[in-house]
């Protein structure tokens, strides 16, 4: 269900559906996928002036679609999360990935590409 203020059949409603579907395909749970989709749509609405309230980071930061995981948390190093790296290592068939740290996963994935 899209965030409040987003009417059915609008661009933002379709955007919400695409983001939610993408998250589900990546293995996120239903509620987590809905949360990520709603947050992304709300940020884009704020950036384009479609919402009443907006935070400074929503309007002055790079857009969610361009950022794409550059900052996956405030206290972590920038870049992909360990889970994202692990999923990529699994796709590449890297052995021993479950025992690797984030830095080791990063190096192994980068070597394979």
């Amino acid at each position: 269900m899209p965030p409040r203020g987003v009417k059915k059949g609008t661009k933002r409603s379709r955007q919400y559906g695409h983001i939610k579907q993408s998250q589900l395909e990546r293995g996120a749970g239903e509620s987590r996928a809905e949360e990520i989709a709603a947050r992304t749509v709300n940020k884009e609405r704020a950036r384009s002036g479609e919402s009443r309230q907006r935070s400074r980071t929503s309007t002055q930061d790079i857009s969610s679609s361009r950022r794409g995981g550059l900052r996956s948390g405030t206290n972590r190093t920038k870049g992909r999360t360990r889970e994202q790296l692990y999923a990529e290592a699994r796709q590449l068939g890297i052995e021993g990935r479950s025992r690797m740290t984030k830095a080791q996963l990063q190096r192994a994935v980068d070597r394979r590409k």
Side-chain angles (χ1 to χ4, degrees):
M1 187 165 141
R4 277 189 288 160
V6 175
K7 293 183 173 64
K8 192 174 180 179
T10 62
K11 174 183 177 178
R12 298 296 177 209
S13 178
R14 290 189 304 275
Q15 182 183 35
Y16 172 86
H18 289 299
I19 295 168
K20 181 180 172 186
Q21 187 62 39
S22 173
Q23 290 299 314
L24 290 172
E25 288 171 4
R26 288 173 168 228
E30 182 80 18
S31 61
R32 180 72 175 150
E34 288 177 355
E35 179 184 353
I36 291 170
R39 285 175 184 250
T40 305
V41 168
N42 282 337
K43 183 168 186 172
E44 293 302 318
R45 288 179 66 224
R47 289 182 66 78
S48 62
E50 297 171 25
S51 62
R52 289 185 193 156
Q53 292 182 324
R54 64 199 103 193
S55 68
R56 192 170 66 198
T57 55
S58 287
T59 56
Q60 294 178 354
D61 203 9
I62 60 175
S63 73
S64 309
S65 56
R66 289 195 59 216
R67 182 164 38 95
L70 292 177
R71 289 189 308 275
S72 301
T74 55
N75 294 332
R76 294 186 218 145
T77 57
K78 310 303 183 222
R80 294 171 287 185
T81 64
R82 185 192 180 280
E83 288 74 26
Q84 290 170 327
L85 289 166
Y86 182 86
E88 198 168 339
R90 185 175 56 214
Q91 286 180 334
L92 294 171
I94 296 172
E95 293 188 19
R97 62 185 174 269
S98 62
R99 294 183 301 275
M100 290 183 185
T101 64
K102 180 179 177 180
Q104 291 169 330
L105 281 168
Q106 179 77 55
R107 284 192 298 273
V109 167
D110 289 344
R111 276 195 302 260
R112 280 286 177 98
K113 283 189 166 183

